Amino acid sequence: MGYGNGDVEVYNVETGEQLSIIQNVCKNLPVTSIRYLYGSGGFFATGPKVCGEGIDKSGHFLITASWFVKDALQLWDTRSRKLLSTLNCRTVEESEFLYCGQFYTHDKVICGGSGVRNAKLVDTVENKVVDEVMTNLKVMQCMTLSRAKKMCVTAGLGDHATCAQFT
């Protein structure tokens, strides 16, 4: 993907073959993330202000968490290459500006950033925040998940990391 392309592209890492493309996610923005997704047979080169922790895949679904004031969390179908929904990740009137977005389960996503500073658990079916963990971070820049123990560790601008457990 080049500057101004605005597409999300999936490649087979071993053969270099393009497997899928979701066009016109956002135009005239540079590539800000390249991420290998295990089990996908490829990697995603992403544009529209998606940071390294802001893209994840579960089955044929793709989640993007972008650094936008609103409509930053989006769910995509990689088979049809279409946007399925823009997800609500706010519990109060706040800007979003997401740095992180990962699948927690097949129908739930965890996100956070510099607008949404706490770790939010968003139900993709109900399109609402169903749980929230206070991180006490100025900016939530990264996270890692332990799905088996339902734990999430977040870090960012602040002097600590937060270990969160969701219901």
Side-chain angles (χ1 to χ4, degrees), residues 71-86:
D71 301 333
L73 189 62
Q74 296 183 319
L75 180 66
W76 302 83
D77 185 331
T78 58
R79 296 172 303 178
S80 67
R81 304 174 182 168
K82 303 275 186 206
L83 173 65
L84 296 176
S85 62
T86 298

Side-chain angles (χ1 to χ4, degrees), residues 102-161:
Q102 293 183 27
F103 279 98
Y104 186 60
T105 63
H106 72 282
D107 62 351
K108 290 185 177 58
V109 175
I110 298 175
C111 67
S114 63
V116 174
R117 295 180 191 139
N118 297 319
K120 307 270 181 116
L121 183 64
V122 179
D123 187 306
T124 61
V125 176
E126 295 181 25
N127 194 12
K128 68 178 186 177
V129 176
V130 293
D131 201 0
E132 178 177 9
V133 173
M134 304 301 265
T135 63
N136 297 316
L137 295 169
K138 295 176 184 174
V139 176
M140 187 175 134
Q141 292 178 303
C142 58
M143 69 176 157
T144 189
L145 302 176
S146 168
R147 288 173 181 87
K149 295 185 180 181
K150 297 192 175 186
M151 299 294 288
C152 172
V153 178
T154 65
L157 293 180
D159 59 356
H160 65 282

Side-chain angles (χ1 to χ4, degrees), residues 5-76:
N5 182 321
D7 298 341
V8 174
E9 302 171 1
V10 183
Y11 292 88
N12 181 304
V13 176
E14 294 178 9
T15 68
E17 174 190 4
Q18 186 179 52
L19 302 175
S20 182
I21 185 168
I22 301 173
Q23 296 181 326
N24 299 318
V25 176
C26 190
K27 293 205 178 273
N28 301 319
L29 294 171
V31 173
T32 56
S33 174
I34 295 177
R35 183 166 178 195
Y36 179 82
L37 299 174
Y38 296 98
S40 68
F43 67 87
F44 291 87
T46 62
K49 296 188 178 180
V50 175
C51 299
E53 300 279 332
I55 189 166
D56 199 16
K57 183 178 182 292
S58 177
H60 60 271
F61 296 109
L62 179 76
I63 196 80
T64 56
S66 301
W67 202 74
F68 289 125
V69 68
K70 66 177 188 170
D71 301 333
L73 189 62
Q74 296 183 319
L75 180 66
W76 302 83

